[in-house]
Amino acid sequence: MAPGRLRGILVLVLQALLVVAVGLPAGFAIAPAFLGPGRPSAASPATPPWQQMPATPGASGGSGGLGPLSDAAPVPSATALAAQLNATLKTDGGGTFTGIVQDAVTGHVLFDRAADEARVPASNMKLLTASAALRVLGPDHRFSTRVVAGPTPGSVVLTGGGDVLLGAGASDPAAVLGHAGLATLAEATVRALQNGAAGATSGDKSGENSGGKSAGTVSVLLDDSLFSGPSLSQAWSPEDVAAGETAPLYPLALNSARFDPAKTTGPRPQDAAMTAAEAFAARLTTAAAAAGLSVAPGVARVGPGAVAGDAKVLAEVQSATVGEQVDLMLQTSDNYLAEVMGRMAAVGAGRAASSEGAIATVMQQLKDLDIPLDGLHAADVSGLAPANQVSARQLTDVVRAMTSGKDTRLRAALDGFPVAGLTGTLGGRYTDAATAGGAGLVRAKTGTLNTVIALSGYVVDADGRLLVFSFVGNGLTPGAANKAALDRSASALAGCGCR
């Protein structure tokens, strides 16, 4: 068969499998431990129903999706499972892998390779941050970006409230990135100004309107004082910051502090709040012209306390939900969004919205989830810092809390796990013969630094048993083919009928 045709068939198969994969979290909504239909009968086809392509595509949670699983499905044999993983979990060059596999329902450990050894987790750190944000803020919480009346007549203050996924155009209710738009905010601000909500403009001290329109000038101020402490962590490499892995943190930004929403690599704005404020001022200028108003050039930043706490709100736009933002953070492994989410969780917990406050909030939430913190050290909440130390067991404890724990708010993170071979940071993996068995089935958070890779997530095995796992490699040879070892291991779990 020609390679092009074979690849086309593979793409169709993976797209169909995605329907099955996205149905997995729907089962959690029905029962925390994936409870439901029992094992397939002897008359069932060789491929179990939860690993078959659906006859027709269906939306997640619909008739085409996967129903809940049974807690009576057989648990893999630890001995048989270890034999498979010991054959796949091998480094290419230097370094070592640690790992653990647990039964999600009971927590029983099925595979343990130095699972309690604290290691650099890379972006698997975001799993900890996701759990903290969902617990403190709740999956349905939204962040507000407001324009309030300024301290002088005719001035307005753009106030950051934690939404760094602002779009420059109109608000898009169907989107996560760009759910709240600056053009929509500007138009609402002009309507408020037309009604005299901000008092007299600088060119119309009487405050009187002519034909329903104020003839004056509006000045724009920026209040981004919600966050405190340094905007950059000393735990981050300056080279990583320069490369755009993150940027100075502010409580409002366009496109998660990206110049172009379509480009997720390369340098970022170094003052994302001012970049957003200048974009707002430009949109306000356009909207104000039709109302007989003008906008003064430039944006001035004001400090904490410069705007009265009871200042009149002229306009407001709200972000996508925290649950949706967490899913985007996990899918794309966005360091900037993760750090902001940590600081907003700190605000929700009554702590300072600083790096230290974010770390303290994450650690407290892990403690409240009864996850042992022995050896765990958090230098940031995104995983960019090489000083982070987390064990594979602690990572699976978090994944298990999301899949099967008592706090159902954590279920909101499950859609955010990339699907092998299909979505997010796993979209380009699981395409060869050794790993294709996990395509569409494995759901896991990736992690990559120069000498570090990690993969933590969940999968339903061939017998219908839900397994959680974490594999972490440290001290690896840069550029070596080590991701394949993780993918082969996760694929082995998906195909396991290990008894």
Side-chain angles (χ1 to χ4, degrees):
M1 183 178 293
R5 184 181 178 190
L6 179 60
R7 180 172 179 81
I9 293 173
L10 177 59
V11 169
L12 291 174
V13 171
L14 292 182
Q15 288 174 339
L17 283 173
L18 177 59
V19 178
V20 179
V22 298
L24 287 175
F28 293 113
I30 301 172
F34 260 143
L35 306 181
R39 292 182 58 196
S41 67
S44 297
T47 303
W50 50 86
Q51 294 191 328
Q52 288 184 57
M53 291 185 293
T56 57
S60 176
S63 59
L66 174 66
L69 302 174
S70 172
D71 64 346
V75 178
S77 159
T79 301
L81 185 59
Q84 291 203 26
L85 294 181
N86 286 332
T88 58
L89 199 60
K90 296 178 178 179
T91 61
D92 177 24
T96 58
F97 285 119
T98 61
I100 186 171
V101 179
Q102 291 178 277
D103 177 57
V105 175
T106 64
H108 181 64
V109 176
L110 305 173
F111 174 79
D112 182 342
R113 182 190 292 179
D116 291 314
E117 179 182 316
R119 310 206 107 191
V120 183
S123 282
N124 276 205
M125 195 77 184
K126 293 180 177 69
L127 293 171
L128 283 58
T129 305
S131 64
L134 291 171
R135 281 174 56 83
V136 173
L137 300 170
D140 297 324
H141 184 74
R142 299 177 188 269
F143 306 137
S144 294
T145 304
R146 297 186 173 100
V147 176
V148 302
T152 58
S155 65
V156 298
V157 186
L158 176 66
T159 306
D163 186 1
V164 296
L165 301 180
L166 292 164
S171 297
D172 183 353
V176 179
L177 184 69
H179 186 91
L182 293 182
T184 298
L185 185 63
E187 291 164 1
T189 301
V190 168
R191 289 194 294 271
L193 291 172
Q194 285 182 290
N195 294 326
T201 61
S202 59
D204 179 20
K205 296 183 180 179
S206 67
E208 295 177 355
N209 295 334
S210 175
K213 297 180 181 180
S214 298
T217 301
V218 180
S219 59
V220 178
L221 306 176
L222 168 64
D223 180 2
D224 58 357
S225 61
L226 178 61
F227 290 174
S228 60
S231 59
L232 283 174
S233 170
Q234 292 184 349
W236 296 333
S237 162
E239 289 78 10
D240 285 338
V241 176
E245 293 296 332
T246 191
L249 297 167
Y250 294 94
L252 76 163
L254 286 167
N255 313 316
S256 195
R258 290 289 186 190
F259 290 107
D260 183 343
K263 295 182 179 179
T264 57
T265 58
R268 299 177 186 251
Q270 295 303 291
D271 190 339
M274 185 57 72
T275 299
E278 289 170 348
F280 169 74
R283 295 288 182 169
L284 186 66
T285 299
T286 300
L293 296 172
S294 61
V295 176
V299 177
R301 183 179 258 121
V302 297
V307 180
D310 59 352
K312 183 176 180 61
V313 176
L314 307 180
E316 177 180 5
V317 287
Q318 291 195 322
S319 72
T321 66
V322 166
E324 291 168 332
Q325 293 193 56
V326 162
D327 285 351
L328 180 64
M329 175 187 77
L330 296 177
Q331 282 280 334
T332 62
S333 203
D334 189 322
N335 296 315
Y336 194 93
L337 181 57
E339 292 292 337
V340 168
M341 199 62 66
R343 291 194 182 207
M344 293 308 296
V347 171
R351 290 188 171 90
S354 63
S355 177
E356 292 77 11
I359 290 169
T361 301
V362 170
M363 295 292 280
Q364 182 62 53
Q365 291 305 309
L366 295 176
K367 182 178 179 181
D368 292 348
L369 282 169
D370 295 325
I371 294 175
L373 302 181
D374 298 343
L376 195 157
H377 173 71
D380 68 11
V381 298
S382 62
L384 185 60
N388 288 313
Q389 292 283 295
V390 185
S391 72
R393 189 185 303 273
Q394 288 161 336
L395 290 168
T396 54
D397 283 345
V398 172
V399 176
R400 186 168 173 248
M402 291 173 171
T403 62
S404 313
K406 296 179 180 178
D407 190 341
T408 57
R409 292 173 296 183
L410 299 184
R411 305 286 187 270
L414 295 174
D415 275 335
F417 282 65
V419 181
L422 291 165
T423 64
T425 54
L426 286 181
R429 292 161 61 170
Y430 293 80
T431 58
D432 61 15
T435 60
L441 300 174
V442 173
R443 299 190 70 129
K445 179 71 194 78
T446 58
T448 306
L449 291 173
N450 191 36
T451 62
V452 176
I453 59 171
L455 192 69
S456 300
Y458 61 97
V459 65
V460 180
D461 75 5
D463 283 327
R465 197 75 190 184
L466 179 64
L467 308 176
V468 294
F469 65 90
S470 178
F471 306 126
V472 184
N474 276 194
L476 304 174
T477 302
N482 280 302
K483 289 181 181 178
L486 300 189
D487 296 345
R488 287 194 298 268
S489 298
S491 295
L493 297 180
C496 190
C498 309
R499 306 184 194 174

